[in-house]
């Protein structure tokens, strides 16, 4: 019944979109300079007078004209902007039946510092731009009080699996950035970071599916760039936020932001704290076969809670040496402490499908990550054409530690103990150091052409030391099968050149990036060394043709690489329970992808048809231990291992649709849908794979504006599931409402929301290795949470903010494992 209700709501909303026609007026806007000559490529915004809501954007043509058709009746004003020009505003415009309005706005070149102008143009929750999708987190009621992980899961095209692996449009290999700097963590560490990062600290998220050669060549499915809040005004200002959420367990968050700017310096910073207690209740049914004949089964009920304390701080400054030169620094630190309490009840079934015995595993672990990255940056603008040089030097150190106590008790079916308890103690320490240097040069030409070039060099070293002790007999003894020390160092050198040219009806961009990689590893256990080096070229090309003012056609192609996260190369053998292990793979190869995309935009509706082929696909496999390690001392066929492997290849075909619709003066809808087919080829332990599956991910976001400062939001998400290597996921969906009220003379905002009201956004899947192994699993997580949040803004409301910039360590910080 819940599924029928949610599906009916989605059908009704979609029907309203298709039925939307309505009558309205039209506004023609002419943008001119001081000499009353037409200005081309100015941005023109139609804004509602009552609440400063942004209704629609347009770009002026070669005659300086922008047009808005079918404008709902009401009062509006126009804002026009252009680089190096003072923003221009129209007088109020009343649109009524049967009238057409014509407006002229003069834009003056900037000659002095702008005087204070207060304008509150509200951006939509989701925007589709020419090269990316923008999720304006701060404008979403639903995302208030959530974590960055929650926001990502609700973003267009983004999915998160049972291992917290993030995929985009059904493809793994996403690069996660924070303010243009790739986050240093992977795996569990990255998941805990994103779970702890409060959504109230995030301004927007950029989703870039096909980056240019200027970006690192990593990321076959694209880049997700999380931009933290920065105030955008002169003088001093800031904000404070506090929130409380309740799911099965409580959650809370608080944060503050400050910004001070004058003509010589801009100082900025923020601090956020989050406490989140979460759960993961995982039910597994594992079936084992030998040559297709059933020979045993494990049924597992795994319940984990993980209270987490998260602190993140940022401090930086920009010094304006003169009108053309800026030197700055920024330091980012985060401190995460979390406890893991796990109880695993397992029933072992024999080849006659009769219960044989049970065992129970308890794990209690305390972990922490202390990470700091410093950046020094330089920017010099040569002239007003946009010619500039930027440079960055990064240095970062990441520390991790974990103390674990894992004990297992075996029982007969009558409840009596079979044998003494197995107790394993762990002491794991890790340190990663990264050093990067990069420089970028941009040189525009008078005829609309632009040349970009740059280089980057990086050195990343990782030291992971894990000690395990068998304490079953009361005295801890070194467990030589698990204790290990792994050293890793990687050097990367890269250079790129990008050329772009703007014509009257179309533009083209061609790029080429070259990257050299040198890596060295040393595993002390067995004294195993591995050295490798390779050089690869990564071309890219983009072409956009403007059919008319409402229609644009684009084509792009690029080659990309995904290097393994440092943690995936770590050969340590980690005990999950006595029949389940996790390990890395020092022989894991990078994967290479060719991506192609055809893009068509008409009246703000966007359609993207894409195809990609990936070789040496990196995939997390769960299989019998003896199939992966045939010479291992583990002889029990019921022992499984989770390990990263390379599959032969994958082919991806997808269609993405973005459809923003202004239904009424108080109701805006943004619809996003991804339909795709993934086909995988490979072989693991004799289990051949040559299968694919279709999938769909549909999301609709509805915003409602009422009187007296009240607004509301309704989100509906549906994911049909799909294939990822040997695993096929099942469907899941969610419905999430929220409401907001502005108070205290618009300086305060009070928000309340409930995510996943029916608690249906729960993952489940089947993993099949033909003739060897079948696993069915489903998980219960805290996707249903009610949250109330209060935000208060103080200080001057027109301060220009800290400039956004990327640094030199994007890819390295993404791949860093602890």
């Amino acid at each position: 019944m819940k599924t029928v209700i949610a599906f009916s709501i989605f059908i009704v909303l979609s029907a309203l979109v298709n039925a939307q026609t309505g009558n309205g007026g039209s506004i023609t806007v002419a943008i001119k300079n001081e000499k009353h000559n037409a200005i081309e490529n100015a941005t023109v915004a139609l804004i509602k007078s009552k609440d400063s809501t942004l209704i629609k954007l347009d770009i002026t043509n070669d005659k300086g004209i922008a047009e808005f058709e079918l404008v709902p009746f009401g009062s509006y004003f126009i804002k026009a902007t252009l680089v190096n020009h003072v923003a221009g505003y129209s007088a109020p415009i009343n649109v009524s039946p049967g009238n057409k309005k014509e407006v002229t706005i003069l834009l003056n070149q900037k000659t002095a510092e702008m005087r204070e102008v207060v304008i509150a143009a509200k951006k939509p929750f989701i925007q589709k731009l020419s090269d990316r999708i923008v999720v304006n987190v701060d404008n979403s009621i639903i995302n208030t009080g959530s974590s960055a992980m929650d926001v990502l899961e609700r973003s267009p095209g983004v999915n998160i699996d049972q291992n917290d692996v993030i995929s985009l449009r059904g493809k793994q290999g996403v690069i996660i950035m924070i303010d243009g700097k790739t986050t240093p963590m992977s795996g569990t560490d990255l998941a805990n970071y994103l779970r702890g990062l409060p959504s109230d600290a995030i301004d927007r998220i950029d989703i870039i599916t096909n980056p240019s050669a200027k970006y690192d060549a990593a990321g076959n499915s694209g880049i997700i760039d999380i931009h933290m809040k920065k105030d955008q005004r002169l003088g001093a200002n800031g904000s404070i936020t506090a929130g409380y959420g309740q799911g099965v367990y409580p959650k809370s968050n608080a944060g503050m932001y400050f910004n001070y700017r004058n003509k010589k310096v801009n100082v900025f910073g923020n601090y956020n704290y989050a406490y989140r207690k979460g759960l993961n209740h995982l039910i597994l049914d594992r079936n084992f076969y030998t040559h297709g004949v059933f020979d045993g089964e494990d049924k597992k009920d795994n319940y984990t809670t993980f209270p987490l304390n998260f602190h993140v701080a940022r401090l930086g400054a920009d010094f304006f040496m003169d009108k053309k030169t800026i030197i700055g620094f920024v330091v980012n630190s985060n401190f995460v402490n979390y406890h893991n309490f796990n109880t695993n009840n397992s029933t072992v079934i024999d080849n006659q499908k009769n219960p044989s015995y049970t065992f129970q595993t308890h794990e209690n672990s305390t972990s922490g990550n202390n990470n700091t990255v410093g950046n020094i940056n330089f920017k010099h603008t040569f002239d007003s054409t946009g010619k500039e040089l930027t440079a960055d030097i990064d240095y970062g150190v990441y520390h991790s530690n974990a103390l674990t106590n894992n004990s297992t008790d075996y029982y007969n079916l009558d409840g009596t103990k079979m044998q003494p308890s197995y107790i394993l103690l762990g002491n794991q320490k890790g340190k990663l150091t990264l050093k990067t240097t990069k420089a970028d040069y941009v040189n525009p030409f008078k005829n609309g052409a632009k040349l970009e070039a740059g280089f980057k060099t990086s050195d990343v070293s990782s030291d992971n030391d894990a000690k395990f002790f068998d304490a079953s007999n009361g005295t801890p003894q070194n467990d030589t099968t698990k204790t290990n020390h792994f050293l890793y160092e990687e050097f990367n050198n890269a250079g790129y050149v990008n050329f772009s040219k703007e014509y009257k009806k179309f533009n083209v961009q061609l790029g080429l990036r070259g990257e050299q990689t040198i890596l060295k590893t040393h595993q002390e256990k067995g004294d195993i060394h591995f050295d490798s080096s390779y050089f690869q070229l990564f071309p890219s090309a983009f072409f956009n043709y403007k059919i008319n003012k409402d229609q644009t056609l684009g084509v792009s192609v690029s080659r990309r690489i995904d290097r393994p996260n440092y943690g995936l190369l770590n050969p340590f053998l980690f005990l999950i329970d006595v029949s389940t292990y996790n390990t890395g793979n020092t022989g894991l190869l990078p994967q290479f992808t060719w991506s192609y995309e055809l893009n068509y935009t008409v009246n703000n509706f966007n359609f993207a048809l894409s195809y990609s082929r990936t070789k040496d696909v990196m995939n997390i496999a769960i299989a019998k231990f003896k199939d992966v390690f045939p010479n291992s001392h583990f002889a029990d066929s019921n022992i499984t291992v989770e390990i990263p492997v390379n599959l032969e290849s994958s082919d991806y075909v997808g269609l993405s649709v973005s459809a923003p619709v202004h239904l009424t003066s108080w109701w805006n809808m943004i619809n996003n849908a991804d339909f795709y087919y993934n086909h995988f080829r490979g072989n693991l332990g004799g289990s051949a794979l040559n299968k694919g599956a279709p999938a769909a991910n549909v999301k609709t976001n509805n915003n409602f504006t009422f009187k007296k400062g009240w607004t509301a939001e309704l989100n509906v998400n549906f994911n049909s599931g799909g294939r990822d290597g040997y695993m096929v996921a099942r469907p899941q969906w969610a419905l999430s409402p929220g409401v907001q009220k502005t108070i205290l003379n618009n300086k305060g905002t009070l928000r309340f929301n409930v995510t996943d009201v029916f608690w249906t956004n729960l993952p489940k899947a089947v993993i099949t290795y033909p003739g060897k192994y079948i696993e069915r699993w489903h998980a219960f997580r805290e996707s249903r949470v009610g949250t109330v949040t209060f935000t208060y803004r103080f200080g001057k409301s027109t301060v220009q903010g800290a400039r956004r910039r990327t640094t030199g360590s994007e890819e390295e910080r993404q791949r860093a494992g602890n």
Side-chain angles (χ1 to χ4, degrees):
M1 179 58 68
K2 294 176 182 176
T3 304
V4 173
I5 292 172
F7 186 74
S8 300
I9 292 173
F10 183 77
I11 291 297
V12 170
L13 296 178
S14 299
L16 286 171
V17 172
N18 294 329
Q20 173 66 17
T21 53
N23 295 319
S26 66
I27 302 175
T28 300
V29 184
I31 306 299
K32 299 181 179 181
N33 59 21
E34 304 97 318
K35 298 180 181 179
H36 291 267
N37 295 324
I39 296 180
E40 187 179 5
N41 293 325
T43 300
V44 182
L46 176 65
I47 300 172
K48 194 172 182 180
S49 298
K50 186 175 182 180
D51 55 10
S52 296
T53 300
L54 176 63
I55 302 301
K56 194 173 182 181
L57 292 171
D58 199 4
I59 304 296
T60 56
N61 58 21
D62 56 346
K63 298 179 180 179
I65 301 297
E67 295 181 324
F68 299 103
E69 301 289 343
L70 296 176
V71 178
F73 305 137
S75 179
Y76 303 88
F77 66 92
I78 302 294
K79 176 184 177 181
T81 56
L82 185 66
V83 175
N84 294 325
H85 287 70
V86 179
Y89 298 86
S90 73
I93 304 168
N94 291 313
V95 178
S96 56
N99 68 352
K100 296 183 178 180
K101 297 290 185 178
E102 296 183 356
V103 178
T104 299
I105 297 177
L106 298 181
L107 291 185
N108 299 315
Q109 285 193 328
K110 288 183 178 179
T111 56
E113 184 175 324
M114 290 181 59
R115 300 180 65 182
E116 176 174 316
V117 178
V118 179
I119 193 75
K122 181 180 178 182
K123 294 178 287 186
F125 170 42
I126 298 172
Q127 291 176 290
K128 179 64 180 77
L129 304 182
S130 60
D131 63 338
R132 68 192 64 197
I133 293 175
V134 178
V135 180
N136 293 301
V137 179
D138 196 36
N139 291 337
S140 170
I141 302 169
I142 299 300
N143 287 318
T144 302
S146 301
S147 68
M149 184 72 99
D150 299 325
V151 176
L152 284 177
E153 195 162 18
R154 292 191 282 268
S155 298
V158 179
N159 289 303
I160 301 172
D161 71 9
Q162 83 283 5
N163 295 313
D164 295 321
V165 175
I166 299 170
S167 61
L168 181 59
R169 293 183 179 178
K171 296 189 292 182
Q172 295 183 13
V174 183
I175 296 297
I176 305 294
M177 293 183 175
I178 306 293
D179 280 335
K181 313 173 188 79
T182 303
T183 178
M185 293 157 285
S186 63
T188 301
D189 295 316
L190 176 59
N192 285 328
Y193 174 85
L194 294 174
R195 284 196 183 97
L197 182 61
S199 63
D200 302 292
I202 302 172
D203 175 34
R204 75 175 199 270
I205 297 175
D206 291 351
I207 301 174
I208 309 170
T209 57
N210 208 358
S212 69
K214 185 174 183 178
Y215 292 91
D216 285 328
N220 92 89
S221 63
I223 292 172
I224 295 177
D225 195 355
I226 302 173
H227 294 271
M228 308 301 287
K229 283 184 178 176
K230 301 180 182 68
D231 286 310
Q232 299 181 351
R233 300 168 283 272
L234 273 181
N237 62 8
S239 67
I240 56 174
T241 299
Y244 176 82
Q246 183 68 52
V248 177
Y249 298 107
K251 293 130 178 58
S252 62
N253 64 278
M256 64 173 297
Y257 318 92
F258 74 89
N259 190 60
Y260 172 76
R261 184 184 182 101
N262 60 32
K263 294 182 179 180
K264 291 294 183 180
V265 66
N266 178 203
V267 181
F268 53 91
N270 59 54
Y271 167 77
N272 283 276
Y273 167 77
Y275 169 81
R276 304 183 72 83
K277 184 176 181 180
L279 72 87
N280 185 26
H281 187 188
L282 183 61
I283 309 297
L284 303 103
D285 184 2
R286 294 175 170 174
N287 295 265
F288 302 90
Y289 300 84
T290 300
H291 304 300
V293 178
F294 178 82
D295 62 13
E297 180 180 2
D298 276 1
K299 290 188 175 181
K300 297 180 178 294
D301 187 329
N302 191 75
Y303 192 91
T304 304
T305 61
F306 41 91
L308 176 150
N309 287 278
F310 183 92
H311 305 263
V312 58
R314 183 174 188 266
L315 178 65
D318 288 331
F319 301 94
F320 308 105
M321 313 306 293
D322 52 44
K323 292 183 179 181
K324 296 182 178 181
T325 305
I326 302 173
I327 297 176
F329 77 90
V330 62
V331 178
N332 293 279
S333 295
N334 64 76
F335 308 92
V336 186
N337 294 289
Y338 50 94
H339 299 274
N340 191 71
F341 303 96
N342 171 264
T343 298
N344 187 327
N345 292 290
S346 300
T347 300
V348 178
I349 297 172
D350 62 23
N351 57 7
Q352 301 300 313
K353 298 193 175 181
N354 297 316
S356 180
Y357 63 93
T358 66
F359 64 87
Q360 186 176 76
T361 300
H362 296 278
E363 181 182 293
N364 183 352
S365 66
T366 301
S367 305
N369 296 332
N370 301 320
N371 310 321
T372 301
V373 176
N375 165 261
I376 299 175
N377 51 83
F378 167 85
K379 178 181 178 180
H380 179 74
T381 303
F382 293 92
D383 51 41
S384 60
T385 65
K387 183 189 297 184
E388 67 178 30
L389 174 68
T390 59
D392 289 89
I393 299 175
D394 284 35
Y395 180 82
V397 180
Y398 303 88
H399 294 277
S400 67
N401 61 82
L403 296 174
T404 60
N405 185 324
N406 190 304
S407 64
T408 303
D409 295 299
Y410 299 84
Y411 299 95
N412 295 306
L413 296 180
D414 61 5
T416 59
K417 260 197 168 186
M418 287 179 58
Q419 60 191 61
S421 301
Y422 172 63
I423 301 174
L424 183 70
L425 307 179
N427 184 355
Q428 305 160 51
K429 294 181 179 180
K431 179 182 178 181
L432 184 143
T433 304
L434 66 84
K435 293 168 279 188
T436 66
T437 301
K438 72 185 288 273
D440 299 280
Y441 174 71
V442 180
N443 186 11
F445 299 102
K446 292 182 179 180
N447 59 357
K450 182 170 66 174
L451 178 69
E452 299 174 284
F455 76 90
K456 172 184 170 181
T457 182
S458 68
D459 175 13
V460 179
S461 60
S462 176
D463 185 340
N464 292 277
D465 190 7
K467 294 180 173 63
F468 292 96
F469 304 91
D470 188 338
S472 303
N473 296 324
T475 302
Q477 301 290 328
N478 182 31
D479 188 338
T480 58
T481 64
K482 301 178 181 65
T483 293
N484 207 340
H485 193 181
F486 182 63
L487 301 171
Y488 179 95
E489 187 163 19
E490 179 178 300
F491 301 91
N492 275 300
N493 300 298
Y496 77 90
V497 60
N498 246 6
F499 177 79
S500 60
K501 178 83 163 92
E502 294 277 350
Y503 296 92
K504 185 175 181 180
K505 297 287 287 185
F506 67 91
N507 63 74
V508 63
Q509 177 180 294
L510 301 174
L512 181 65
R513 186 179 186 92
E515 294 192 358
Q516 178 195 38
T517 301
I518 304 171
L519 60 88
K520 301 178 180 180
T521 69
H522 178 208
Q523 179 182 321
E524 289 193 356
K525 181 181 176 181
D527 194 25
I528 300 172
H529 294 263
F530 178 77
D531 296 337
S532 176
S533 64
Y534 53 89
F535 177 81
Q536 294 285 331
L537 292 175
F538 302 96
S540 62
F542 301 82
F543 175 83
N544 290 287
Y545 177 72
K546 189 174 182 180
I547 302 171
N548 55 47
K549 70 182 184 68
D550 295 321
Q551 297 183 70
T552 303
L553 185 68
V555 179
S556 64
V557 58
S558 66
R559 183 176 188 251
R560 307 196 66 77
I561 183 176
D562 289 286
R563 299 179 179 90
N565 292 331
Y566 307 122
L568 295 180
L569 299 168
N570 190 335
F572 294 178
L573 192 64
F574 295 105
L575 176 74
I576 298 176
D577 64 53
V578 291
S579 64
T580 310
Y581 286 84
N582 174 278
T583 188
N585 181 359
T586 56
L588 193 64
L589 300 174
Q591 64 181 28
F592 294 90
T593 301
W594 277 99
S595 294
Y596 309 85
E597 186 169 299
L598 176 65
N599 214 295
Y600 175 65
T601 301
V602 54
N603 293 325
N604 291 325
F605 284 68
N606 180 265
F607 304 87
L609 181 64
S610 56
Y611 168 75
S612 67
R613 181 172 178 81
T614 303
K615 293 186 176 181
D616 294 322
V617 179
M618 291 186 292
N619 187 261
I620 302 296
I622 300 174
K624 293 181 182 181
F625 204 103
K626 64 179 183 181
D627 287 337
V628 180
F629 303 104
N631 298 321
S632 170
H633 64 282
F634 291 107
D636 191 336
S637 63
N638 282 10
I639 294 181
T640 60
V641 63
E642 182 179 286
I643 183 173
V645 298
N646 289 110
L647 302 179
E648 179 186 331
S649 65
S650 69
D651 290 280
Y652 170 93
V653 180
L655 172 65
S656 298
V657 181
S658 176
V661 180
H662 182 69
L663 290 170
T664 69
S665 60
W666 52 270
W667 184 1
N668 281 293
M669 174 187 284
I670 302 174
N671 305 287
N672 288 274
D674 294 293
F675 307 95
Y676 55 90
Y677 178 86
N678 248 338
H679 192 100
F680 293 85
R681 297 174 183 84
N683 195 303
L684 180 64
S687 295
L689 174 65
N690 187 8
K691 289 187 177 181
N697 190 359
V698 181
K699 302 184 180 184
T700 178
N701 174 264
N702 300 266
N703 292 279
F704 309 93
T705 304
F706 305 112
K707 297 179 179 179
K708 299 181 179 180
W710 285 94
T711 55
E713 186 175 325
L714 177 67
N715 265 328
V716 181
N717 302 335
F718 173 76
N719 184 351
S720 71
R723 176 171 287 276
D724 181 17
Y726 289 90
M727 184 176 72
V728 177
R730 302 307 188 196
Q732 57 191 91
W733 66 276
L735 185 147
S736 305
V739 64
Q740 170 182 294
K741 177 72 168 69
T742 55
I743 56 178
L744 303 176
N745 295 321
N746 291 326
K747 287 185 174 291
T749 302
L750 190 63
R751 292 173 168 177
F752 174 74
N753 66 70
V754 180
T755 58
D756 192 13
V757 170
F758 299 115
W759 207 15
T760 50
N761 196 28
L762 303 173
K764 54 185 176 181
V766 177
I767 302 169
T768 305
Y769 296 90
K772 291 179 176 290
Y773 178 74
I774 298 176
E775 176 184 306
R776 298 175 179 86
W777 65 265
H778 61 276
F780 296 91
R781 299 173 179 172
E782 282 189 293
S783 56
R784 179 170 61 188
V785 178
T787 304
V788 59
T789 303
F790 172 72
T791 300
Y792 181 76
R793 296 167 292 277
F794 58 87
K796 197 175 181 182
S797 61
T798 56
V799 183
Q800 183 179 354
R803 60 195 173 101
R804 296 194 185 277
R805 53 184 175 270
T806 61
T807 69
S809 56
E810 284 90 354
E811 184 193 352
E812 291 74 23
R813 298 172 65 187
Q814 165 69 16
R815 296 173 55 216
N818 289 304

